[in-house]
Amino acid sequence: MKGLRVSQGKWKGKEIPSPPDVSGHLNFTNSLVKKAIFSLMDSRLLSWGLSFESVLFCDYFAGSGQISAEAYSLSVKRLLTYELDQTRFRNLHTLFRGLPNVQLFRKDATKHALKWELGEESAYIFYLDPPYTYWSETPMRMKEMLEDLYQFCLSTNKPFLILCQIPEHQSTKNIWVNVPYKIREYGSHFIIETGYGSMENLEE
């Protein structure tokens, strides 16, 4: 089975088995996009004067778990990982078994996004890379999830970042109509970035 490797932090070099494809979703985020994702996080954390050690990181559609593993490797204060597929969830359970401050949810994130308790974290980072069918077949579920998540973050009065990986040429104007956002392009991949409460923050 082809493996993925953690690129930085205390788990650097650790191999993560890549599970079989699930309909509508590839196995993993490529290295260019993964690097871009964590570069965006680093930039925002620097602007907040914080480190990963004070952040709650949530990976809502974990798949292989490589993004969650990278976040854990960087010593996030708390890690929340969601995966609905049974085989993938079992692999995630094996990967993170017994580790402190890690919570795994075998749930549909669009229905259970906020069903966890607040802790002592100083900021929030949320990453979403759902099966592409979620954007095309159930866009209203994604729209509602993003709006609820955004409003929740505003209510905490803490810094936050929401990053969504989307398919090439995916329309954004309807799903993000009520949420300020910025589109970042990395080759044929696109990341939607939102957070902080205003467009001015996104343009920094």
Side-chain angles (χ1 to χ4, degrees), residues 32-52:
L32 171 66
V33 176
K34 181 168 70 171
K35 183 177 180 180
I37 289 165
F38 282 91
S39 177
L40 285 171
M41 295 179 194
D42 285 336
S43 176
R44 290 306 168 188
L45 286 170
L46 181 62
S47 72
W48 300 336
L50 298 173
S51 66
F52 279 104

Side-chain angles (χ1 to χ4, degrees), residues 150-162:
Y150 185 81
Q151 290 302 318
F152 159 78
C153 289
L154 290 181
S155 73
T156 68
N157 292 315
K158 294 181 179 180
F160 69 97
L161 175 66
I162 303 170

Side-chain angles (χ1 to χ4, degrees), residues 7-185:
S7 63
Q8 55 187 326
K10 61 191 177 187
W11 271 7
K12 184 176 181 179
K14 182 179 178 65
E15 186 173 6
I16 305 166
S18 180
D21 286 351
V22 174
S23 178
H25 201 188
L26 299 175
N27 278 336
F28 54 87
T29 298
N30 70 39
S31 58
L32 171 66
V33 176
K34 181 168 70 171
K35 183 177 180 180
I37 289 165
F38 282 91
S39 177
L40 285 171
M41 295 179 194
D42 285 336
S43 176
R44 290 306 168 188
L45 286 170
L46 181 62
S47 72
W48 300 336
L50 298 173
S51 66
F52 279 104
E53 287 85 349
S54 61
V55 169
L56 178 145
F57 183 90
C58 182
D59 185 0
Y60 274 124
F61 304 89
S64 67
Q66 70 160 329
I67 299 298
S68 288
E70 292 281 354
Y72 179 81
S73 187
L74 292 169
S75 300
V76 294
K77 186 174 184 66
R78 188 153 59 119
L79 174 65
L80 310 179
T81 299
Y82 286 70
E83 177 54 49
L84 184 59
D85 177 75
Q86 183 174 359
T87 299
R88 292 185 170 195
F89 183 82
R90 186 164 54 245
N91 289 349
L92 291 169
H93 186 267
T94 299
L95 179 64
F96 292 110
R97 179 184 297 146
L99 296 179
N101 302 321
V102 177
Q103 292 176 270
L104 302 179
F105 300 88
R106 188 177 171 231
K107 300 287 187 181
D108 182 342
T110 63
K111 300 177 181 178
H112 299 272
L114 296 174
K115 294 187 177 179
W116 43 269
E117 295 183 359
L118 292 172
E120 297 179 354
E121 48 276 345
S122 301
Y124 303 95
I125 298 178
F126 300 93
Y127 177 68
L128 296 82
D129 181 17
Y132 289 170
T133 53
Y134 277 48
W135 301 115
S136 59
E137 297 178 11
T138 56
M140 289 306 297
R141 280 166 56 185
M142 292 306 303
K143 179 176 183 292
E144 291 171 2
M145 177 185 177
L146 287 162
E147 290 176 356
D148 289 347
L149 182 59
Y150 185 81
Q151 290 302 318
F152 159 78
C153 289
L154 290 181
S155 73
T156 68
N157 292 315
K158 294 181 179 180
F160 69 97
L161 175 66
I162 303 170
L163 298 174
C164 301
Q165 187 174 169
I166 66 172
E168 187 177 7
H169 306 311
Q170 167 70 42
S171 174
T172 60
K173 62 182 180 180
N174 293 325
I175 293 177
W176 280 271
V177 65
N178 294 322
V179 176
Y181 67 92
K182 183 173 184 177
I183 302 176
R184 297 184 179 273
E185 184 175 347

